[in-house]
Amino acid sequence: MSVISIPTQGPSVEQVLAAYELARERYADLGVDTEQALSALAGISLSLHCWQGDDVAGFEAPDAGLGGGIAVTGNYPGKARSAEELRADLDMAYSLIPGNHRLNLHAIYAETDGRRVERDEVQPEHFSAWVEWARANGHGLDFNPTLFSHALAETGFTLSHRDSGIRQYWIGHCIACRSIGEHFGRELGTPSVTNIWIPDGSKDTPVDRAAPRRRLMDALDEIFAVPVDPQHNLDAVESKLFGLGSESYVVGSHEFYMGYAIRNGILVTLDSGHFHPTESIADKLSSVLMYVPNLALHISRGVRWDSDHVVTLTDETQAMVREVVTGGYLDRVHIGLDFFDGSINRIAAWVVGARNVLRAALVALLEPTDQLRRLEHEGDYSSRLALFEEAKGLPWQAVWDYFCLQHEVPVGMRFMDDIWRYEAQALAQRGS
Ligand code: RNT
Ligand code: ZN
């Protein structure tokens, strides 16, 4: 099935060490301590989204097909068909990403032995294999109720549906999910971020924009009225600008959730695909963090629209991650990934995306921020611009290679060798 398996080239250990030494000196001249940057980088834990591994399918029986106005394109063979396969694929991905990272689960990844379990009846026990696996591998778990891919979500409305029975069903689901998040947090000793995203909205211009928002607010109030220990579970709400089928109106807009999160002291989730294309999330962090205790990021890459492409090392990725790092927000921002590409090897998608976020973090950690701040303080904007541009060309990749070596993951593109080997051994057996 695999197209190529020519071993990729990469630097030798000696080359990595020699390049690192030169880079270390170069950074030291600018007052930047590479060792400090490396240990800060090792402390960053990304939440990997389980849904990249199977095109947001989940294991619910019967499978309702992907709904909610999100779409995965591509039919690359070998996607995970069971929780065991998904965990094996994740193990492979984590083994190629330096550091210790989390997993972000969705409710449709419950393991119910093929039995149909209603979403409002999902229990911690349906995730016991995930918890055991997470514990054994040192992963924290985050969670999401799934308010799409379901008959009761087909009208495009869930928590804001005008039918109170349908609303109650989804309220019940979200309440069930918050206690699963709390269970994850308690079992694993690290709080779970339980993020609510709903697809609610309409294709064409609505007459009444307020009523669904009032219903959503009341539904959220009902969900959050149930006490859940914030030591173990952190509630988050994720806004959106538009979706397929909700082009004209989205109930849970940015303003809606900003207000809601501020009033209730919960987290806001900012997804990089959920804003106008020229709007920068980087600039939002310091504003939002004035008013909410913590926030979550869904780092994604929209190409022309909210297309959920694999994260690359774009200016936008760098600017966003830089703001988290140099703003001193690492302990207040939960960094997660959210993209789904079914057109390439799905493990490569995870690994490339996650490594890029970490590389962006390293670039930020190596920035001569003190000097830049001084220049800004002195009003020397010419030198500030010059130093910003100079910093882009500094040898951060040598430090990254050294970081990979330290953490015993492949240096450079050699991780693709492992992925091709895994594709030939494991993925090929799955058929297409
Ligand atoms: C959809 C949101 C949401 C989903 C996941 C699967 O636009 O970004 O976060 O991608 O819940
Ligand atoms: Zn998202």
Side-chain angles (χ1 to χ4, degrees), residues 51 195 197 238 269 271 274 298 308 338:
W51 52 91
N195 174 57
W197 171 74
E238 180 182 3
T269 298
D271 181 310
H274 291 191
H298 273 188
D308 291 295
D338 185 8

Side-chain angles (χ1 to χ4, degrees), residues 178-179 181-183 185-186 191-192 226-235:
R178 289 178 71 228
S179 50
E182 185 184 40
H183 171 79
R186 187 179 297 114
S192 166
V226 179
V228 164
D229 191 343
Q231 235 194 302
H232 303 310
N233 180 76
L234 298 169
D235 295 305

Side-chain angles (χ1 to χ4, degrees), residues 54 277 402 404:
D54 72 338
Y402 181 73
C404 291

Side-chain angles (χ1 to χ4, degrees), residues 3 34 60 107 163 207 230 235 245 294 333 351 370 397 422:
V3 235
T34 53
E60 203 170 68
D163 180 304
V207 174
D235 295 305
N294 298 89
V333 177
V351 174
D370 292 344
Q397 179 76 21
Y422 185 77

